Amino acid sequence: MQWKYLLGCVLATTQVHALLRFPCSQLVIERFDPLISPGQVSGHLHQVHLNNKYDPTTIYLTLNCDRLLEEFNITMDPANDLPSLSTCTTCTFKEDFSNYWTAVLYFQHPNGTYKRVPQMPGQYLGNSNGGMTIYYIQTGKVTAFRKGFRMIVGNPFLRQYDANSAEANSLNFRCLTTNYGNGGVVGTPGSDSHVLPSQPCTGGIRSQIVFPTCWDGVNLDTADHKSHTSYTINGACPSTHPVVLPELFIETIWDTTSFNNMWPSNGKQPFMFSMGDPVGVGQHADYVFGWKGDSLQRAMDSCNDAGGGNCNVLTTQSIDAINACVQAPRVAETTDGWLSALPGCNPIQSGPGSATQAVGCGAVTTAAPGSYPSVTPAPGTTANTQPPVPVTTQTPGNTAAHWAQCGLGVDHDVDMSIGGQGYSGPTVCAAPYTCKAQNAYYSQCL
């Protein structure tokens, strides 16, 4: 069935007066989370879609992607005006400089290695670079978010679905069929779940996250980034949170199709989020409002296209433009290709009890300016498309394994310090690999 037809039916029954539906391409994939761990490398990997002002410290000088990151001593200040500080946005509407980010999905091969699952653009939204689909939905008169507003939905440490939780019921997955099949508002029976699908999905897995729509009208944020908001109760906002907000809804389509022929023979579900969650109930999303001026309020007041794409009070930009807005990663670690472990200290924790944050695994804990090149085949060789035999990040004798970070010394071939500033890990690579400087901040056993 067609997405627009089904959406139109739903809008008619829920009395939606305004809707925006648009793609945001991928800015960067990195272990940053400015809300939970401002000023430091976060515990797990996120996919980030927003303006190029994204910075774990929100330092005023980082207006351009190539500007130096100075020091982690400034928090994400609500007073920052993101539209004036940013030079581009990865979202279709030029007025939207908001920040949206979620955890990243990985596939675990039967041999124990991991590979990041890429994202697909939403249906009818062009060929954006991975990314996500953003919805702002109005079901009556709403008050747009204010400058400095931020919120979080979900809990990365949860491993068991709670049917009595409004938040838990606002996080789910859809098993898609080929060519965006089963992608309508209402899925076929059994295709929606609050845990990751237990069978291969021929069209990928769509993650669906709905944020609260009620606000206390006072606090732009709270310590837990949640208490100032609430989901409706019996269809209405509670007296403690009387202000009705636009419904923010995020879809991410994970292109799991290339992994379907690697599904484990025992039938075990092989996908997991970057915080080591193989269940899926730990999926979560962060939002920092950044629309320019009163543009979101004007859109909510006047735009009523049932398809969500046309809004004459907003300015659109091309897919090429949103894809061109990117930021170089600043955490010196490998996140793509076949990995021996998830980035950061994230062992697989299946629950049902809450997960805990592991420490002491030797993961990178510092960030630096500049980009870190992905691993590419050496001249005259071809890329290995098969998952490698699992390796450990450390080998006996305080040596580093293949692809691992190494350091302290000088690579005289390039006259560059090995290991990078602040690195204090293994200094020797396991045979037959040698420590090679990638830049002033990072070296690998290659």
Side-chain angles (χ1 to χ4, degrees):
M1 291 188 178
Q2 295 298 307
W3 178 89
K4 289 186 178 179
Y5 170 77
L6 281 173
L7 179 62
C9 294
V10 171
L11 299 188
T13 59
T14 57
Q15 297 182 334
V16 171
H17 299 280
L19 169 74
L20 300 177
R21 177 181 184 260
F22 56 94
C24 290
S25 65
Q26 185 174 283
L27 179 80
V28 68
I29 291 179
E30 192 153 49
R31 270 197 302 125
F32 279 171
D33 190 337
L35 290 190
I36 297 300
S37 50
Q40 53 189 299
V41 176
S42 67
H44 59 270
L45 201 66
H46 294 95
Q47 53 144 344
V48 184
H49 312 79
L50 39 93
N51 63 80
N52 68 337
K53 180 64 184 70
Y54 177 76
D55 189 325
T57 60
T58 319
I59 293 177
Y60 287 90
L61 293 180
T62 55
L63 300 184
N64 299 301
C65 293
D66 60 351
R67 186 71 76 100
L68 289 180
L69 177 67
E70 295 193 341
E71 57 181 339
F72 292 128
N73 63 357
I74 302 177
T75 59
M76 201 163 194
D77 190 345
N80 284 353
D81 183 62
L82 297 182
S84 64
L85 292 173
S86 307
T87 60
C88 65
T89 173
T90 71
C91 298
T92 296
F93 294 116
K94 287 186 176 181
E95 291 85 354
D96 185 14
F97 294 89
S98 301
N99 301 347
Y100 315 88
W101 64 94
T102 72
V104 174
L105 193 68
Y106 275 86
F107 169 80
Q108 185 180 31
H109 192 273
N111 71 5
T113 56
Y114 303 85
K115 191 171 186 179
R116 185 177 68 84
V117 179
Q119 301 104 279
M120 295 167 55
Q123 190 176 21
Y124 308 122
L125 293 177
N127 192 27
S128 59
N129 176 27
M132 55 176 61
T133 303
I134 304 296
Y135 297 73
Y136 286 85
I137 303 171
Q138 183 199 100
T139 55
K141 178 61 179 176
V142 298
T143 299
F145 308 99
R146 295 181 183 176
K147 175 183 173 182
F149 185 94
R150 67 279 308 281
M151 61 180 168
I152 291 177
V153 60
N155 182 340
F157 297 107
L158 290 183
R159 296 294 183 269
Q160 187 172 32
Y161 166 63
D162 179 3
N164 296 317
S165 166
E167 182 178 68
N169 286 313
S170 299
L171 309 170
N172 55 62
F173 303 93
R174 170 75 59 80
C175 189
L176 300 178
T177 57
T178 305
N179 295 325
Y180 296 98
N182 194 36
V185 176
V186 180
T188 58
S191 63
D192 286 335
S193 62
H194 296 289
V195 297
L196 287 163
S198 59
Q199 73 284 341
C201 300
T202 58
I205 298 172
R206 190 171 72 190
S207 171
Q208 304 170 153
I209 297 176
V210 181
F211 283 78
T213 56
C214 304
W215 176 42
D216 65 12
V218 177
N219 298 291
L220 297 175
D221 195 8
T222 47
D224 62 358
H225 309 296
K226 294 183 179 183
S227 298
H228 59 310
T229 64
S230 172
Y231 288 96
T232 58
I233 300 176
N234 297 323
C237 286
S239 60
T240 55
H241 297 77
V243 180
V244 182
L245 301 168
E247 181 176 273
L248 175 59
F249 175 39
I250 294 178
E251 286 181 343
T252 302
I253 302 178
W254 303 102
D255 188 3
T256 57
T257 57
S258 64
F259 303 101
N260 286 346
N261 62 354
M262 305 181 203
W263 199 274
S265 58
N266 62 7
K268 182 181 178 182
Q269 193 284 119
F271 296 101
M272 59 201 60
F273 281 107
S274 49
M275 59 280 190
D277 173 18
V279 182
V281 297
Q283 76 161 320
H284 55 286
D286 299 50
Y287 174 65
V288 175
F289 173 77
W291 285 76
K292 187 175 182 179
D294 65 347
S295 56
L296 180 59
Q297 186 67 63
R298 289 187 287 110
M300 290 289 95
D301 288 344
S302 61
C303 298
N304 55 12
D305 174 29
N310 297 321
C311 183
N312 59 12
V313 300
L314 298 177
T315 306
T316 60
Q317 59 179 341
S318 68
I319 293 295
D320 287 343
I322 70 174
N323 286 343
C325 185
V326 295
Q327 187 178 80
R330 282 167 284 178
V331 179
E333 64 184 353
T334 303
T335 59
D336 283 317
W338 291 99
L339 309 176
S340 60
L342 296 173
C345 297
N346 291 290
I348 305 306
Q349 300 181 69
S350 301
S354 295
T356 58
Q357 180 63 61
V359 295
C361 69
V364 179
T365 59
T366 58
S371 62
Y372 302 95
S374 58
V375 177
T376 56
T381 66
T382 58
N384 179 14
T385 59
Q386 298 300 316
V389 176
V391 296
T392 57
T393 56
Q394 301 295 326
T395 55
N398 198 33
T399 58
H402 191 202
W403 306 122
Q405 187 175 7
C406 51
L408 298 185
V410 175
D411 184 339
H412 295 288
D413 291 339
V414 294
D415 192 25
M416 189 179 291
S417 173
I418 297 177
Q421 300 174 5
Y423 178 74
S424 59
T427 60
V428 178
C429 295
Y433 308 110
T434 57
C435 195
K436 294 292 184 179
Q438 303 301 300
N439 50 49
Y441 304 94
Y442 187 59
S443 299
Q444 277 186 301
C445 291
L446 303 172

